[in-house]
Amino acid sequence: MPGKLKVKIVAGRHLPVMDRASDLTDAFVEVKFGNTTFKTDVYLKSLNPQWNSEWFKFEVDDEDLQDEPLQITVLDHDTYSANDAIGKVYIDIDPLLYSEAATVISGWFPIYDTIHGIRGEINVVVKVDLFNDLNRFRQSSCGVKFFCTTSIPKCYRAVIIHGFVEELVVNEDPEYQWIDRIRTPRASNEARQRLISLMSGELQRKIGLKVLEMRGNAVVGYLQCFDLEGESGLVVRAIGTACTLDKLSSPAAFLPACNSPSKEMKELPFNEDPNPNTHSSGPSTPLKNQTYSFSPSKSYSRQSSSSDTDLSLTPKTGMGSGSAGKEGGPFKALLRQQTQSALEQREFPFFTLTAFPPGFLVHVGGVVSARSVKLLDRIHNPDEPETRDAWWAEIRQEIKSHAKALGCHAVVGYSESTSICEEVCILSASGTAAVLNPRFLQDGTVEGCLEQRIEENLPAGCGFCHIPYDELNMPFPAHLTYCYNCRKQKVPDVLFTTIDLPTDATVVGKGCLIQARLCRLKKKAQAEANATAISNLLPFMEYEVHTQLMNKLKLKGMNALFGLRIQITVGENMLMGLASATAVYLAALPMPGGIQIAGKTPSDGSYEQHISHMQKKISDTIAKNKELYEINPPEISEEIIGSPIPEPKQRSRLLRSQSESSDEVTELDLSHGKKDAFVLEIDDTDAMEDVHSLLTDVPPPSGFYSCNTEIMPGINNWTSEIQMFTSVRVIRLSSLNLTNQALNKNFNDLCENLLKSLYFKLRSMIPCCLCHVNFTVSLPEDELIQVTVTAVAITFDKNQALQTTKTHIEKSLQRASTDNEELLQFPLELCSDSLPSHPFPPAKEHLESARSNSGIPAAQRAVTVEKASPMGEGNFRNRSAPPCANSTVGVVKMTPLSFIPGAKITKYLGIINMFFIRETTSLREEGGVSGFLHAFIAEVFAMVRAHVAALGGNAVVSYIMKQCVFMENPNKNQAQCLINVSGDAVIFVRESELEVISTQQPTANCQQSCAGGEVTT
Amino acid sequence: MTSELDIFVGNTTLIDEEVYRLWLDGYSVSDAVALRVRAGILEQTGATAAVLQSDTMDHYRTFHMLERLLHAPPKLLHQLVFQIPPSRQALLIERYYAFDEAFVREVLGKKLSKGTKKDLDDISAKTGITLKSCRRQFDNFKRVFKVVEEMRGSLADNIQQHFLFSDRLARDYAAIVFFANNRFETAKKKLQYLSFGDFAFCAELMIQNWTLGAVDSQVDDMDMDLDKEFLQDLKELKVLVADKDLLDLHKSLVCTALRGKLGVFSEMEANFKNLSRGLVNVAAKLTHNKDVRDLFVDLVEKFVEPCRSDHWPLGDVRLFLNQYSVTVHSLDGFRHQALWDRYMDTLRGCLLRLYHD
């Protein structure tokens, strides 16, 4: 009995008129938690009732506290007939359950009704008294903090990053129960809202328990999703990264107090399993590993793909050390070994984080992904969600083995998603294979000695590009060169990742959003036939998406993708693929070659001419893009780079659709030349079409940039104006001309027009950047395509931006030359000295960076940090707008990013996770589908803001609209929409308001200059 | 490919002032798009017509949703659905309640009833203002009228408090409400040369001096209705023209004071008795509602037009009116000095404002 929940109903305002005769309302309130209900008095004849109730007290288990939402219902009293419900407010009291978050929830909440929308507001105060519970066998996990943010939250420090946590719960969907035939839509919607609220509470509690088991105290990168499986039920699942976080005492000081002993330490058994690695028959591409498995959920399962599953999951002993490189091989191996041990005993070494503490990420291998097609069946027993668990476990195993094939022991930027159509479900998982620094993953005792070393020794800005796999025994054909930054390690010619750009990465010019869009028709089919058809189509979709991405990347003159997200959506008669990523030019990777067009058919003159015309157009576009994104990397002569690595001469040619007969992904050759031009063969009209579509993507108007990562590479001086928005479009395809080409064109136009509209709408913010552009595609009906976009526009100071970029390029030039000098000046022996003193030399980079760091003045290194850090201090101090005075409703900012430009987050108040259903039977009267959805989304925003304000916050960060399911039936004048949103409620303080005490100033400055090399004290 | 649904929702509600103006002016979406195209927005921004169409639709939808809140501006401030910075809220309110000069001149002084609303078609045809916009403006007048009638305290203050208008707009609305309540005739052909500003100016003076509020600030409707007692008393002023000696004395005093100072002295001298009779008779007639309504017609007929036909310069009118009202204090036989001042101070202000071409 460890908690007492106290609720006070203060007042209402703007209530709707419920009594037509008097034009007034006799309102009262029911307060329900679990099975206990309290009522206020009836406040007669008022639209602004003042109940001022006593404190309603609920004595409850903390298990219930976590699972149950507080349910407040406002009703109109009626003497003769049943009382009419005005609307409800659900309050998640979870933020009150841990000490550092909110202490009270108090404020005006919109009263929401699933049929009428918001109907007035109610003022509520909620408090919780928690008693200490020493029961070891408790089922609750109060006190575990949850963050949607996919990086270590700003005012915390990660002591240990424990790793992956996942859980799912299933239930029957109330909407599909028999009782729904006789229930009102309102009752049905409310049953659903309540159930999902309960399920997500339960899910969070269960995840919390797992975190406590791991001795963590927080979940970062918490992602919760609903699968509306229709008749087969409702699945709520969540993944996250368990961490032990330490709160930084002063919000101004970001510098971790490195030697402070962590409170919670975990003894990990030291596992001596060495590097698995180097399986030559690994998956085919450097960037993605694809598996398509289809199992109709009964017993048999057909693995359509590759050898991946043969890849032994138990690592082979004795491999991996010899091949890691000429110098420093042993160290690398040691690092591997050590990290391995930390990770190996974990079932899934996955991290949902996309941005990491400095030094965490050692190498990045590439994107790994897996998909599988399943047939849904009824969930017979809600208490045993094994089937779904098994499905996900299967996929995660595949991801894990792919990562191993890339020589990586971990997967970062990991996420999972589903697409459901009728009884077919595509499960997808993707992430970035990586080698991590063991420091954050284990026992705090090692921390002390390792810390300094590692952080000092990482080579600035290129280490993560170096290949983690064995170059002599590569899992796929790739073209390696020596790193263009440090020239010691090998790098691939392109790099695809799902993570954010590391803050210390050296980037040339600016980045940009690129998208690959694809539709494929599919015959309508039932059950297994349908699933088979889908799994047969998937490899081609992946291949084409990949080709498009590669082509567009080359067209931009860039060489790396960050934040890659590939979404495959299944509909009745088609499949859609949409990939978004932020392209950049990494200084460490080689300059991309151009694109060459080759005609295949023996040509007549006009055809030749046409080809050369196209070629010219493409070359022009590349040149234009280079100028647009300021890509002018320092010219480096071949001698410095050294002789190219000998490799089998492979024609860098894209093989198009020859592999149609086969579903073996391994046959796809996605390789491409190092310096050679990328060759596009035009052998049929289809290909011609593709080249055309390449060129139709128009760049954003001048003054606009866009990316789908947290921050835009190359822009660092954000000003304080932000505008988060959601835009939804649905188009109806005319069913007559449904061909793949027509579909592609429609889809392409839809996305391009949507982007154009955004640029137009936000033109008053120029110069500005659309950040975290998140596209979601769904196919609600046969001929409907729905695209939902959420993003944030942030203004920046153009003049400053230009300056900094320039100096930055100069610096990186300088650095390049310094590095080379350093190479000569510091003999290798230097490093061996440091070896014995540190039992676990973390990396080979250790050595080089020790050198390069000592060679480069701290100030210079700081440039990188300042550039990439979202809040370069001082940049904003003069520019942030004065706070809005005398506004009656406090402003609550919302952003999908983890930070607020020009401001510091001083406190995290708890997670916001809300689910709403809205339904109408008077669609025309509410302004049609657009009017209906527009109002609903505005209301959802309002409810999120109200909850944040009631927690005492003034912003939501890492906001995400995870689901927006829209269904309409215009003939019946009806529509329904389900929306699920989440984010972290925070308090931020404008830097201009933040009075930095003079004593704190040096610390802050020091932190800035140190952060690059992390000279810790 | 047809667009079924197309929306954009910002955390901060985007307000495009230009589109807002077009919406307020009552243009349909397609008309608004055409007007925006004509304004050259496509060239400036490089957008396509489809983008413009979608943008305009979006804004129209937003305005449509905001309209309900704009009917009670304090609601706009307290609502939670649209996050709008205070300066923008003020702009939305101010523009929504702004009115066209041409329109207000048509309905000023008319009863804000259904009957008048039916005439809006004609007004729309006559003024070229869209019917939609006419309806909005008319409904605005009526809404403000309904809210502030029967309220205590200053009319302009009440309006400002309940509708959050700027000072200027609140005073304009006070004039509109005052005119509607007292049904002053403003539509006569003779009065066509007068602007809304002229009437609003007079209304303000009258509210300040002639209403119940001028003597007692604790009564309902204090700024809406004229002080009936005061109007009754005005009959006493008749003695100024009925008593021949008094009239002659008044005239000679004024003439003595103004001799040599007035360019139109002889015309003034010749017309003095007519003018004085006119002004005093207007006062004496104000006991009847019908004559109150004709106040401006009478003032123009009895004073403005005679002076204008003799080409009095404005400066001379001012000198004359000052002298005319001040001199009354020197008339020993006249006992209603205070009454005279309350009447004449306001009337003088009004006449000077009304005296132009």
Side-chain angles (χ1 to χ4, degrees), chain A residues 288 290 516-520 537-551 579 654-657 660 668 670 686-687 690 740 744:
Chain A
K288 211 179 325 126
Q290 305 131 318
R517 304 157 187 144
L518 188 67
C519 303
R520 278 287 168 271
L537 267 174
L538 279 177
F540 298 106
M541 306 245 345
E542 295 262 11
Y543 171 75
E544 293 234 354
V545 164
H546 184 272
T547 309
Q548 267 192 39
L549 281 176
M550 193 62 90
N551 287 344
L654 268 179
L655 307 176
R656 307 197 82 275
S657 48
E660 224 142 5
L668 303 182
L670 297 169
D686 208 34
D690 288 355
N740 279 336
N744 277 337

mmCIF file of all heavy atoms in Angstrom, chain A residues 288 290 516-520 537-551 579 654-657 660 668 670 686-687 690 740 744:
data_model
loop_
_atom_site.group_PDB
_atom_site.id
_atom_site.type_symbol
_atom_site.label_atom_id
_atom_site.label_comp_id
_atom_site.label_asym_id
_atom_site.label_seq_id
_atom_site.Cartn_x
_atom_site.Cartn_y
_atom_site.Cartn_z
ATOM 1 N N LYS A 288 23.717 -2.399 -45.910
ATOM 2 C CA LYS A 288 22.467 -2.936 -45.439
ATOM 3 C C LYS A 288 22.496 -4.434 -45.571
ATOM 4 O O LYS A 288 23.053 -4.991 -46.496
ATOM 5 C CB LYS A 288 21.342 -2.382 -46.291
ATOM 6 C CG LYS A 288 20.088 -2.257 -45.527
ATOM 7 C CD LYS A 288 19.029 -1.696 -46.406
ATOM 8 C CE LYS A 288 19.533 -0.700 -47.395
ATOM 9 N NZ LYS A 288 19.164 -1.021 -48.731
ATOM 10 N N GLN A 290 19.929 -7.512 -45.722
ATOM 11 C CA GLN A 290 18.496 -7.708 -45.826
ATOM 12 C C GLN A 290 18.135 -9.167 -45.656
ATOM 13 O O GLN A 290 18.795 -10.039 -46.183
ATOM 14 C CB GLN A 290 18.010 -7.242 -47.196
ATOM 15 C CG GLN A 290 18.419 -5.815 -47.453
ATOM 16 C CD GLN A 290 19.052 -5.662 -48.795
ATOM 17 O OE1 GLN A 290 19.845 -6.482 -49.220
ATOM 18 N NE2 GLN A 290 18.693 -4.595 -49.458
ATOM 19 N N ALA A 516 14.374 8.503 -51.010
ATOM 20 C CA ALA A 516 14.114 7.553 -52.084
ATOM 21 C C ALA A 516 12.660 7.147 -51.939
ATOM 22 O O ALA A 516 12.201 6.873 -50.841
ATOM 23 C CB ALA A 516 15.029 6.350 -51.953
ATOM 24 N N ARG A 517 11.942 7.166 -53.066
ATOM 25 C CA ARG A 517 10.510 6.874 -53.008
ATOM 26 C C ARG A 517 10.167 5.832 -54.051
ATOM 27 O O ARG A 517 10.652 5.902 -55.171
ATOM 28 C CB ARG A 517 9.712 8.137 -53.287
ATOM 29 C CG ARG A 517 10.064 9.267 -52.361
ATOM 30 C CD ARG A 517 9.704 10.590 -52.983
ATOM 31 N NE ARG A 517 10.195 11.693 -52.164
ATOM 32 C CZ ARG A 517 10.662 12.814 -52.659
ATOM 33 N NH1 ARG A 517 10.747 12.977 -53.961
ATOM 34 N NH2 ARG A 517 11.083 13.761 -51.861
ATOM 35 N N LEU A 518 9.324 4.934 -53.661
ATOM 36 C CA LEU A 518 9.088 3.802 -54.538
ATOM 37 C C LEU A 518 7.723 3.180 -54.279
ATOM 38 O O LEU A 518 7.297 3.045 -53.141
ATOM 39 C CB LEU A 518 10.183 2.765 -54.248
ATOM 40 C CG LEU A 518 10.263 1.579 -55.145
ATOM 41 C CD1 LEU A 518 10.695 2.031 -56.532
ATOM 42 C CD2 LEU A 518 11.279 0.600 -54.592
ATOM 43 N N CYS A 519 7.065 2.797 -55.351
ATOM 44 C CA CYS A 519 5.814 2.038 -55.226
ATOM 45 C C CYS A 519 5.907 0.782 -56.069
ATOM 46 O O CYS A 519 6.523 0.790 -57.123
ATOM 47 C CB CYS A 519 4.632 2.838 -55.767
ATOM 48 S SG CYS A 519 4.402 4.402 -54.991
ATOM 49 N N ARG A 520 5.316 -0.268 -55.623
ATOM 50 C CA ARG A 520 5.237 -1.495 -56.407
ATOM 51 C C ARG A 520 3.832 -2.051 -56.287
ATOM 52 O O ARG A 520 3.321 -2.239 -55.185
ATOM 53 C CB ARG A 520 6.230 -2.541 -55.877
ATOM 54 C CG ARG A 520 7.639 -2.364 -56.361
ATOM 55 C CD ARG A 520 7.756 -2.768 -57.835
ATOM 56 N NE ARG A 520 9.038 -2.348 -58.380
ATOM 57 C CZ ARG A 520 9.254 -1.149 -58.947
ATOM 58 N NH1 ARG A 520 8.284 -0.282 -59.032
ATOM 59 N NH2 ARG A 520 10.432 -0.840 -59.421
ATOM 60 N N LEU A 537 8.435 -9.535 -53.164
ATOM 61 C CA LEU A 537 8.652 -8.177 -53.662
ATOM 62 C C LEU A 537 9.691 -7.410 -52.853
ATOM 63 O O LEU A 537 10.380 -6.548 -53.371
ATOM 64 C CB LEU A 537 7.335 -7.397 -53.616
ATOM 65 C CG LEU A 537 6.478 -7.402 -54.862
ATOM 66 C CD1 LEU A 537 5.159 -6.703 -54.576
ATOM 67 C CD2 LEU A 537 7.204 -6.699 -56.008
ATOM 68 N N LEU A 538 9.778 -7.743 -51.594
ATOM 69 C CA LEU A 538 10.615 -6.945 -50.691
ATOM 70 C C LEU A 538 12.060 -6.757 -51.153
ATOM 71 O O LEU A 538 12.563 -5.635 -51.126
ATOM 72 C CB LEU A 538 10.583 -7.527 -49.272
ATOM 73 C CG LEU A 538 9.367 -7.155 -48.436
ATOM 74 C CD1 LEU A 538 9.424 -7.842 -47.084
ATOM 75 C CD2 LEU A 538 9.299 -5.649 -48.235
ATOM 76 N N PRO A 539 12.751 -7.824 -51.579
ATOM 77 C CA PRO A 539 14.152 -7.613 -51.959
ATOM 78 C C PRO A 539 14.297 -6.583 -53.067
ATOM 79 O O PRO A 539 15.229 -5.776 -53.051
ATOM 80 C CB PRO A 539 14.603 -8.986 -52.456
ATOM 81 C CG PRO A 539 13.585 -9.949 -52.016
ATOM 82 C CD PRO A 539 12.336 -9.224 -51.710
ATOM 83 N N PHE A 540 13.365 -6.587 -54.005
ATOM 84 C CA PHE A 540 13.476 -5.640 -55.105
ATOM 85 C C PHE A 540 13.242 -4.225 -54.630
ATOM 86 O O PHE A 540 13.857 -3.282 -55.104
ATOM 87 C CB PHE A 540 12.482 -6.018 -56.204
ATOM 88 C CG PHE A 540 12.766 -7.371 -56.772
ATOM 89 C CD1 PHE A 540 11.957 -8.447 -56.459
ATOM 90 C CD2 PHE A 540 13.880 -7.572 -57.562
ATOM 91 C CE1 PHE A 540 12.237 -9.699 -56.951
ATOM 92 C CE2 PHE A 540 14.168 -8.825 -58.060
ATOM 93 C CZ PHE A 540 13.349 -9.897 -57.750
ATOM 94 N N MET A 541 12.334 -4.098 -53.697
ATOM 95 C CA MET A 541 12.074 -2.780 -53.140
ATOM 96 C C MET A 541 13.325 -2.253 -52.455
ATOM 97 O O MET A 541 13.755 -1.132 -52.677
ATOM 98 C CB MET A 541 10.930 -2.830 -52.134
ATOM 99 C CG MET A 541 9.678 -3.427 -52.680
ATOM 100 S SD MET A 541 8.252 -2.378 -52.817
ATOM 101 C CE MET A 541 8.486 -0.954 -51.903
ATOM 102 N N GLU A 542 13.902 -3.107 -51.631
ATOM 103 C CA GLU A 542 15.096 -2.688 -50.893
ATOM 104 C C GLU A 542 16.196 -2.288 -51.867
ATOM 105 O O GLU A 542 16.879 -1.289 -51.693
ATOM 106 C CB GLU A 542 15.605 -3.838 -50.012
ATOM 107 C CG GLU A 542 14.655 -4.226 -48.910
ATOM 108 C CD GLU A 542 15.026 -3.602 -47.575
ATOM 109 O OE1 GLU A 542 15.895 -2.708 -47.559
ATOM 110 O OE2 GLU A 542 14.441 -4.014 -46.553
ATOM 111 N N TYR A 543 16.331 -3.096 -52.886
ATOM 112 C CA TYR A 543 17.382 -2.852 -53.854
ATOM 113 C C TYR A 543 17.179 -1.512 -54.544
ATOM 114 O O TYR A 543 18.091 -0.702 -54.675
ATOM 115 C CB TYR A 543 17.396 -3.996 -54.872
ATOM 116 C CG TYR A 543 18.291 -3.745 -56.045
ATOM 117 C CD1 TYR A 543 19.674 -3.838 -55.931
ATOM 118 C CD2 TYR A 543 17.753 -3.388 -57.281
ATOM 119 C CE1 TYR A 543 20.498 -3.586 -57.005
ATOM 120 C CE2 TYR A 543 18.559 -3.139 -58.357
ATOM 121 C CZ TYR A 543 19.930 -3.235 -58.226
ATOM 122 O OH TYR A 543 20.738 -2.978 -59.287
ATOM 123 N N GLU A 544 15.937 -1.291 -54.971
ATOM 124 C CA GLU A 544 15.676 -0.047 -55.697
ATOM 125 C C GLU A 544 15.801 1.177 -54.798
ATOM 126 O O GLU A 544 16.292 2.214 -55.216
ATOM 127 C CB GLU A 544 14.278 -0.090 -56.306
ATOM 128 C CG GLU A 544 14.175 -1.131 -57.399
ATOM 129 C CD GLU A 544 13.658 -0.528 -58.694
ATOM 130 O OE1 GLU A 544 13.294 0.662 -58.681
ATOM 131 O OE2 GLU A 544 13.635 -1.247 -59.698
ATOM 132 N N VAL A 545 15.330 1.033 -53.588
ATOM 133 C CA VAL A 545 15.451 2.132 -52.639
ATOM 134 C C VAL A 545 16.921 2.467 -52.447
ATOM 135 O O VAL A 545 17.336 3.626 -52.466
ATOM 136 C CB VAL A 545 14.794 1.771 -51.289
ATOM 137 C CG1 VAL A 545 15.257 2.715 -50.199
ATOM 138 C CG2 VAL A 545 13.291 1.804 -51.407
ATOM 139 N N HIS A 546 17.686 1.407 -52.319
ATOM 140 C CA HIS A 546 19.107 1.603 -52.119
ATOM 141 C C HIS A 546 19.753 2.291 -53.312
ATOM 142 O O HIS A 546 20.558 3.206 -53.182
ATOM 143 C CB HIS A 546 19.749 0.242 -51.862
ATOM 144 C CG HIS A 546 21.192 0.335 -51.553
ATOM 145 N ND1 HIS A 546 22.143 0.319 -52.534
ATOM 146 C CD2 HIS A 546 21.837 0.501 -50.387
ATOM 147 C CE1 HIS A 546 23.328 0.449 -51.969
ATOM 148 N NE2 HIS A 546 23.167 0.564 -50.673
ATOM 149 N N THR A 547 19.374 1.825 -54.512
ATOM 150 C CA THR A 547 19.925 2.421 -55.726
ATOM 151 C C THR A 547 19.579 3.906 -55.802
ATOM 152 O O THR A 547 20.431 4.742 -56.088
ATOM 153 C CB THR A 547 19.354 1.704 -56.963
ATOM 154 O OG1 THR A 547 19.527 0.317 -56.778
ATOM 155 C CG2 THR A 547 20.057 2.154 -58.216
ATOM 156 N N GLN A 548 18.324 4.195 -55.531
ATOM 157 C CA GLN A 548 17.908 5.596 -55.574
ATOM 158 C C GLN A 548 18.703 6.442 -54.590
ATOM 159 O O GLN A 548 19.164 7.532 -54.922
ATOM 160 C CB GLN A 548 16.436 5.712 -55.208
ATOM 161 C CG GLN A 548 15.496 5.694 -56.380
ATOM 162 C CD GLN A 548 14.092 6.102 -55.944
ATOM 163 O OE1 GLN A 548 13.910 7.000 -55.126
ATOM 164 N NE2 GLN A 548 13.102 5.418 -56.489
ATOM 165 N N LEU A 549 18.859 5.913 -53.382
ATOM 166 C CA LEU A 549 19.598 6.663 -52.371
ATOM 167 C C LEU A 549 21.012 6.933 -52.857
ATOM 168 O O LEU A 549 21.526 8.053 -52.744
ATOM 169 C CB LEU A 549 19.656 5.874 -51.058
ATOM 170 C CG LEU A 549 18.421 5.899 -50.169
ATOM 171 C CD1 LEU A 549 18.634 4.988 -48.978
ATOM 172 C CD2 LEU A 549 18.122 7.319 -49.698
ATOM 173 N N MET A 550 21.638 5.885 -53.396
ATOM 174 C CA MET A 550 23.014 6.020 -53.843
ATOM 175 C C MET A 550 23.109 7.042 -54.966
ATOM 176 O O MET A 550 23.978 7.918 -54.961
ATOM 177 C CB MET A 550 23.514 4.642 -54.306
ATOM 178 C CG MET A 550 24.998 4.575 -54.501
ATOM 179 S SD MET A 550 25.890 4.883 -52.955
ATOM 180 C CE MET A 550 25.995 3.232 -52.338
ATOM 181 N N ASN A 551 22.202 6.952 -55.924
ATOM 182 C CA ASN A 551 22.219 7.898 -57.042
ATOM 183 C C ASN A 551 22.041 9.330 -56.559
ATOM 184 O O ASN A 551 22.744 10.237 -56.986
ATOM 185 C CB ASN A 551 21.097 7.568 -58.023
ATOM 186 C CG ASN A 551 21.405 6.322 -58.822
ATOM 187 O OD1 ASN A 551 22.555 5.873 -58.870
ATOM 188 N ND2 ASN A 551 20.391 5.734 -59.423
ATOM 189 N N ALA A 579 12.453 6.114 -48.120
ATOM 190 C CA ALA A 579 13.666 6.224 -47.319
ATOM 191 C C ALA A 579 14.038 7.685 -47.202
ATOM 192 O O ALA A 579 14.008 8.419 -48.181
ATOM 193 C CB ALA A 579 14.801 5.450 -47.974
ATOM 194 N N LEU A 654 25.757 -0.698 -61.961
ATOM 195 C CA LEU A 654 24.544 -1.118 -61.286
ATOM 196 C C LEU A 654 23.836 -2.124 -62.160
ATOM 197 O O LEU A 654 23.473 -1.840 -63.281
ATOM 198 C CB LEU A 654 23.619 0.080 -61.057
ATOM 199 C CG LEU A 654 23.819 0.739 -59.725
ATOM 200 C CD1 LEU A 654 22.884 1.913 -59.612
ATOM 201 C CD2 LEU A 654 23.554 -0.255 -58.614
ATOM 202 N N LEU A 655 23.673 -3.266 -61.627
ATOM 203 C CA LEU A 655 22.936 -4.266 -62.384
ATOM 204 C C LEU A 655 21.471 -4.051 -62.102
ATOM 205 O O LEU A 655 21.027 -4.087 -60.972
ATOM 206 C CB LEU A 655 23.354 -5.669 -61.947
ATOM 207 C CG LEU A 655 24.853 -5.902 -62.003
ATOM 208 C CD1 LEU A 655 25.178 -7.269 -61.463
ATOM 209 C CD2 LEU A 655 25.369 -5.735 -63.414
ATOM 210 N N ARG A 656 20.782 -3.817 -63.147
ATOM 211 C CA ARG A 656 19.372 -3.513 -62.941
ATOM 212 C C ARG A 656 18.503 -4.728 -63.180
ATOM 213 O O ARG A 656 18.643 -5.415 -64.161
ATOM 214 C CB ARG A 656 18.933 -2.384 -63.854
ATOM 215 C CG ARG A 656 19.809 -1.167 -63.745
ATOM 216 C CD ARG A 656 19.137 0.033 -64.310
ATOM 217 N NE ARG A 656 18.222 0.655 -63.365
ATOM 218 C CZ ARG A 656 16.978 0.290 -63.176
ATOM 219 N NH1 ARG A 656 16.485 -0.708 -63.837
ATOM 220 N NH2 ARG A 656 16.225 0.917 -62.309
ATOM 221 N N SER A 657 17.662 -4.954 -62.309
ATOM 222 C CA SER A 657 16.579 -5.939 -62.357
ATOM 223 C C SER A 657 16.832 -7.251 -63.103
ATOM 224 O O SER A 657 15.917 -7.922 -63.501
ATOM 225 C CB SER A 657 15.291 -5.292 -62.888
ATOM 226 O OG SER A 657 15.591 -4.575 -64.047
ATOM 227 N N GLU A 660 15.641 -10.639 -61.345
ATOM 228 C CA GLU A 660 14.225 -10.782 -61.103
ATOM 229 C C GLU A 660 13.816 -12.208 -60.752
ATOM 230 O O GLU A 660 12.909 -12.435 -59.953
ATOM 231 C CB GLU A 660 13.432 -10.339 -62.326
ATOM 232 C CG GLU A 660 12.262 -9.486 -61.984
ATOM 233 C CD GLU A 660 12.068 -8.372 -63.010
ATOM 234 O OE1 GLU A 660 12.790 -8.334 -64.030
ATOM 235 O OE2 GLU A 660 11.206 -7.544 -62.783
ATOM 236 N N LEU A 668 22.643 -9.405 -55.437
ATOM 237 C CA LEU A 668 22.627 -7.996 -55.776
ATOM 238 C C LEU A 668 24.018 -7.414 -55.573
ATOM 239 O O LEU A 668 24.631 -7.591 -54.535
ATOM 240 C CB LEU A 668 21.630 -7.240 -54.904
ATOM 241 C CG LEU A 668 20.198 -7.751 -54.965
ATOM 242 C CD1 LEU A 668 19.332 -6.883 -54.085
ATOM 243 C CD2 LEU A 668 19.706 -7.742 -56.392
ATOM 244 N N LEU A 670 25.844 -4.187 -55.147
ATOM 245 C CA LEU A 670 25.620 -2.768 -54.895
ATOM 246 C C LEU A 670 26.935 -2.008 -54.795
ATOM 247 O O LEU A 670 27.011 -0.938 -54.243
ATOM 248 C CB LEU A 670 24.808 -2.581 -53.617
ATOM 249 C CG LEU A 670 23.411 -3.185 -53.672
ATOM 250 C CD1 LEU A 670 22.805 -3.199 -52.302
ATOM 251 C CD2 LEU A 670 22.548 -2.423 -54.634
ATOM 252 N N ASP A 686 12.322 2.112 -68.462
ATOM 253 C CA ASP A 686 12.232 2.109 -67.019
ATOM 254 C C ASP A 686 13.388 2.891 -66.400
ATOM 255 O O ASP A 686 13.209 3.758 -65.545
ATOM 256 C CB ASP A 686 12.274 0.653 -66.549
ATOM 257 C CG ASP A 686 11.538 0.474 -65.255
ATOM 258 O OD1 ASP A 686 10.534 1.184 -65.064
ATOM 259 O OD2 ASP A 686 11.967 -0.372 -64.455
ATOM 260 N N ALA A 687 14.560 2.577 -66.889
ATOM 261 C CA ALA A 687 15.752 3.224 -66.362
ATOM 262 C C ALA A 687 15.746 4.705 -66.706
ATOM 263 O O ALA A 687 16.158 5.551 -65.919
ATOM 264 C CB ALA A 687 16.993 2.555 -66.921
ATOM 265 N N ASP A 690 13.852 6.538 -64.354
ATOM 266 C CA ASP A 690 14.563 6.728 -63.091
ATOM 267 C C ASP A 690 15.515 7.904 -63.159
ATOM 268 O O ASP A 690 15.622 8.694 -62.222
ATOM 269 C CB ASP A 690 15.358 5.466 -62.730
ATOM 270 C CG ASP A 690 14.436 4.345 -62.308
ATOM 271 O OD1 ASP A 690 13.217 4.603 -62.223
ATOM 272 O OD2 ASP A 690 14.924 3.235 -62.077
ATOM 273 N N ASN A 740 3.254 0.808 -62.341
ATOM 274 C CA ASN A 740 4.315 1.159 -61.408
ATOM 275 C C ASN A 740 4.842 2.561 -61.643
ATOM 276 O O ASN A 740 5.076 3.323 -60.714
ATOM 277 C CB ASN A 740 5.456 0.148 -61.491
ATOM 278 C CG ASN A 740 5.147 -1.097 -60.682
ATOM 279 O OD1 ASN A 740 4.348 -1.039 -59.747
ATOM 280 N ND2 ASN A 740 5.758 -2.196 -61.043
ATOM 281 N N ASN A 744 4.734 5.598 -59.092
ATOM 282 C CA ASN A 744 5.960 6.253 -58.641
ATOM 283 C C ASN A 744 5.873 7.750 -58.824
ATOM 284 O O ASN A 744 6.279 8.513 -57.965
ATOM 285 C CB ASN A 744 7.155 5.718 -59.425
ATOM 286 C CG ASN A 744 7.650 4.430 -58.840
ATOM 287 O OD1 ASN A 744 7.417 4.152 -57.668
ATOM 288 N ND2 ASN A 744 8.316 3.632 -59.646
#
